Amino acid sequence: MLLDLSPLKASRDYRLLFTGQLVSFFGSMMTFIVVPWQMYQITQSSAMVGYIYLAEFIPMVALAFVGGAMADFLDKRKMLRLTEIGQTLVTAILLINSLLPTPQIWVLFLSVALHAGFAAIQRPSFESFIQKVIPPEMMSAVMALNSIRFSVGMIVGPAVAGVIATQLSPSIAYSIDLVTFIASLTAVFMLRFVPPPENAEKPSFAAIKKAWKYAFSRQELVGTYFIDIAAMFFAFPQALYPALAVIYGEKYVGFFPAAIAVGALTASATSGWTKNVHRHGLMVIAAAVLWGVAIFFFGLVNSLVPALLLLAAAGFFDMISGIFRGAIWNQTIPNFLRGRLASIEMMSYLTGPMLGSAKMGIVAEKFGVQNAIVSGGILCVVAVAGSALFLPKFAAYDGREG
């Protein structure tokens, strides 16, 4: 039942990436909470906060396919190094902007767009690199370990950032983020060379088209994409964290994403049982429905502790979904398509939160924060259930087929 650490023991390069990303992700999650908070302080608008995620979505879509095609052909280490340097420079821009007498809104939009673009190019190389250095039978354990890294950063980073930004200065939070990039830069420059697959295809429209054709030929993959998009688009509340902080107290602005991460960490730390469950598609559907139910009740409460507990429950179910989605991806995707399919995966798990955050901010601006959250939870359950009905092969998918 406990966490499986075998991937960390099996691969030096995975240990490097895990450790480097663990440290730098803590800093990145500080920036994750400070940028929306800055935007809300300047504009007093949840809709403007939502537009931040729309600004991230556009370059992510534009560059994800490019990053996937490049990951299947080029030296993955170079891709990781260049994009890590780019993200470091973006954090420096945010720091400089925060030190200005009047921080500029356009700089916030530009910075999040650049950061999303670098992430879109980086993620496929990161995913396909791991697949080359870790055997397939350990991939469920890798998903759980990666989620632990993600959850630790999401718990500590936003909670600390909220206190620092509201009680001290956003500049301090950005400075900490900048320093933490030292760990990830060191890690990517120490990686060993991993050759691309034999007869790797050069980046081209035809290569990208082949990946899409493969993905949509397998209903079990399509299900992982659409179920997650449906759940996150309707019920992801991150654009409302600054507005919720006005209700519960500004210093708690980072507690909301941290609560989701606590739930996710709990799911990851107790994920040993998942390797004995083979109905992966059904588990993804059930977890996505329960995510929506938790968000619905989160919208109904009006005190801090129940709100945080419900967000933790939502995070728990989201991570269960993520573990099984990751297992499906790694069981069913051939190595020569891994980078390109990773770009589609990235689009699937970022499209919902990014577009959903923009939607949530606009709805809250017109109808109120509580109505935006409650309606989002209801629509999430309806959308996930409807998607599952149209994807019977996904609901019936058995992990042993992979």
Side-chain angles (χ1 to χ4, degrees), residues 338-367:
R338 193 64 189 88
R340 280 164 284 174
L341 267 293
S343 67
I344 300 176
E345 293 157 18
M346 181 177 65
M347 282 194 62
S348 75
Y349 61 69
L350 292 180
T351 292
M354 288 179 178
L355 293 184
S357 293
K359 183 271 299 178
M360 202 59 104
I362 293 169
V363 173
E365 194 85 357
K366 292 183 178 294
F367 301 104

Side-chain angles (χ1 to χ4, degrees), residues 21 97 168 202 235:
Q21 291 294 316
N97 184 57
L168 299 174
K202 293 183 178 180

Side-chain angles (χ1 to χ4, degrees), residues 186-206:
T186 301
V188 295
F189 275 92
M190 291 179 65
L191 295 175
R192 298 178 179 132
F193 174 69
V194 173
E198 293 183 12
N199 303 316
E201 295 183 67
K202 293 183 178 180
S204 67
F205 177 77

Side-chain angles (χ1 to χ4, degrees), residues 81 149 205 218 227 349 393:
R81 292 167 184 172
R149 172 181 57 80
F205 177 77
R218 305 200 62 159
I227 294 294
Y349 61 69
K393 291 183 180 178

Side-chain angles (χ1 to χ4, degrees), residues 22-35:
L22 177 66
V23 175
S24 69
F25 190 67
F26 162 76
S28 296
M29 287 303 97
M30 296 186 72
T31 295
F32 166 83
I33 204 67
V34 173
V35 170

Side-chain angles (χ1 to χ4, degrees), residues 308-323:
L308 295 178
L309 289 174
L310 284 164
L311 284 178
F316 180 93
F317 295 124
D318 182 45
M319 184 50 62
I320 295 300
S321 170
I323 289 172

Side-chain angles (χ1 to χ4, degrees), residues 15 54 90 101 122-123 185 220 231 274 281 294 311 319 329 381:
R15 286 196 300 274
L54 191 59
V90 170
Q122 181 187 79
R123 193 68 192 180
L185 286 168
E220 62 270 27
T274 60
L311 284 178
M319 184 50 62
W329 293 336
V381 173

